[in-house]
């Protein structure tokens, strides 16, 4: 009997095997490309056909991302007040699109109050923990995503949002290609072992060139402004990716979800987009004053 118990303990102590990588960067590349192309087609269609449809696409992504985040936190005993967080998040997105920055901020404030009041019903135990998680979720996901709604509502909104998305894609693809081909020096091995300084350089070059060309030929700004924007996007997207990697490490999970083959969950795709949206919004406000 003692031998069986010892064997069982040893089996429990053995680490769970990581899924076999499908490439040098550990990603199922065909699935990732297919999903990425499909998502891109939906986003481009919503922007170019009826701009308000993009609000619906972002709202759906935010709802799913909030659910993924709440499930991940639940595994660590943290209960996000999901109903007020989701309702408030949708209100933040809609107010940003239809009424601008002031309304976006006001609805955020109302959502904070709603989260604090909603959590009262479950008693004092864990109140601060759960309320804080709810406030984190509503700021991290819908509030940051709402800056894309502010861009969409502007003149040439579709072109600005497409630039925002293009630069994030350039950051990912340029960094991935350079990392696979030339990656030798890890950038943050304790947080994201597959990221390299060579990959970061590839991201910078790709995003800067794409930003300069788009700013010049589509938005009729100055090429140097597009290059600066591209570098800023690489910085914010990389930091956003590293921050979400740290969150997942703290939670002890590999991905936030499994909805998107080759990508993980919706939250795993928003990690670089969310912190980048306010950066792009602010810089375009400064660069395109006319």
């Amino acid at each position: 009997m003692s031998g069986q118990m010892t064997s069982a303990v040893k089996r429990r102590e053995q680490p769970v095997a990581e899924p076999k990588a499908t490439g040098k960067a550990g990603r199922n590349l065909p699935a990732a490309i297919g999903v990425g192309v499909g998502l891109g087609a939906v986003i481009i269609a919503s922007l170019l056909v009826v701009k308000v449809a993009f609000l619906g696409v972002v709202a759906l992504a935010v709802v799913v991302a909030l659910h993924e985040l709440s499930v991940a936190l639940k595994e660590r005993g943290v209960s996000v007040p999901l109903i007020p967080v989701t309702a408030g998040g949708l209100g933040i997105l809609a107010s940003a699109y239809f009424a601008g920055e002031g309304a976006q901020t006001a609805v955020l404030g109302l959502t904070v109050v709603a989260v604090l009041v909603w959590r009262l019903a479950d008693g004092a135990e864990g109140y601060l923990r759960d309320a804080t998680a709810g406030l984190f979720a509503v700021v991290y996901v819908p509030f940051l995503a709402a800056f894309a709604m502010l861009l969409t509502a502007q003149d040439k909104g579709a072109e600005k949002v497409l630039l925002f998305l293009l630069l994030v894609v350039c950051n990912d693809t340029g960094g991935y290609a350079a990392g696979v081909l030339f990656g030798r020096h890890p950038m943050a091995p304790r947080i994201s072992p597959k990221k390299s300084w060579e990959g970061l350089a590839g991201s910078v070059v790709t995003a800067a060139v794409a930003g300069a060309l788009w700013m010049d030929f589509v938005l009729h700004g100055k090429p140097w402004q597009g290059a600066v924007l591209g570098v800023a996007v690489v910085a914010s997207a990389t930091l956003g990716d590293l921050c979400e990697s740290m969150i997942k490490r703290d939670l002890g999970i590999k991905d936030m979800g499994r909805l998107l083959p080759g990508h993980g969950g919706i939250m795993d795709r928003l990690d670089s987009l969310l912190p980048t949206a306010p950066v792009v919004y602010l810089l375009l406000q400064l660069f395109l004053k006319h």
Side-chain angles (χ1 to χ4, degrees):
M1 176 65 72
S2 61
Q4 291 177 345
M5 291 180 63
T6 302
S7 177
V9 170
K10 288 182 178 179
R11 284 196 300 268
R12 286 198 298 270
E13 289 178 347
Q14 290 177 350
V16 177
E18 291 288 336
K20 185 178 291 186
T22 54
K24 185 176 178 180
R27 177 186 291 193
N28 185 336
L29 193 56
I33 292 175
V35 170
V37 170
L39 291 174
V42 171
I43 291 170
I44 292 172
S46 66
L47 281 168
L48 298 183
V49 177
V50 182
K51 276 203 308 185
V52 73
F54 183 59
L55 172 60
V57 172
V58 174
L60 179 60
V62 163
V63 169
V64 176
L66 287 172
H67 174 71
E68 291 176 348
L69 184 58
S70 69
V71 169
L73 290 172
K74 188 72 173 178
E75 294 295 320
R76 296 297 293 268
V78 181
S79 297
V80 175
L82 195 55
I83 292 178
V85 166
T86 302
L90 293 176
I92 290 170
L93 294 174
S95 62
Y97 182 81
F98 291 109
E101 302 96 326
Q104 172 192 356
T105 305
V107 176
L108 171 64
L110 293 174
T111 305
V112 169
V113 175
V115 169
L116 296 175
V117 172
W118 185 279
R119 181 54 183 78
L120 289 173
D122 291 331
E125 184 176 356
Y127 178 85
L128 181 59
R129 176 198 64 205
D130 296 345
T132 302
L135 301 184
F136 165 73
V138 78
V139 172
Y140 183 37
V141 185
F143 183 73
L144 293 183
F147 284 93
M149 294 296 95
L150 294 176
L151 282 175
T152 308
Q154 294 179 348
D155 291 336
K156 293 191 174 182
E159 291 87 344
K160 292 176 180 178
V161 173
L162 287 174
L163 172 60
F164 158 51
L165 297 173
L166 172 66
L167 293 179
V168 174
V169 170
C170 286
N171 170 70
D172 289 343
T173 56
Y176 178 81
V180 168
L181 295 174
F182 310 110
R184 297 293 184 273
H185 303 89
M187 186 171 63
R190 297 183 61 184
I191 303 174
S192 186
K194 294 184 176 67
K195 287 191 177 299
S196 65
W197 287 108
E198 292 82 0
L200 180 64
S203 294
V204 168
V205 171
T206 306
V209 171
L213 293 174
W214 191 278
M215 184 69 80
D216 188 19
F217 292 106
V218 179
L219 294 178
H220 307 299
K222 296 178 174 60
W224 70 263
Q225 295 173 332
V228 169
L229 183 61
V231 174
V233 165
V234 171
S236 61
T238 301
L239 291 174
D241 188 27
L242 291 175
C243 287
E244 205 221 7
S245 294
M246 185 63 80
I247 292 171
K248 290 188 290 190
R249 281 182 174 271
D250 187 29
L251 295 175
I253 59 177
K254 184 177 185 296
D255 293 314
M256 284 288 187
R258 299 180 180 178
L259 183 62
L260 305 175
H263 292 268
I266 291 291
M267 196 65 218
D268 296 297
R269 287 298 84 208
L270 294 180
D271 56 359
S272 54
L273 290 166
L274 291 172
T276 300
V279 172
V280 173
Y281 173 76
L282 177 61
L283 289 178
L284 287 181
Q285 289 292 96
L286 293 174
F287 290 155
L288 301 177
K289 295 180 180 179
H290 55 278

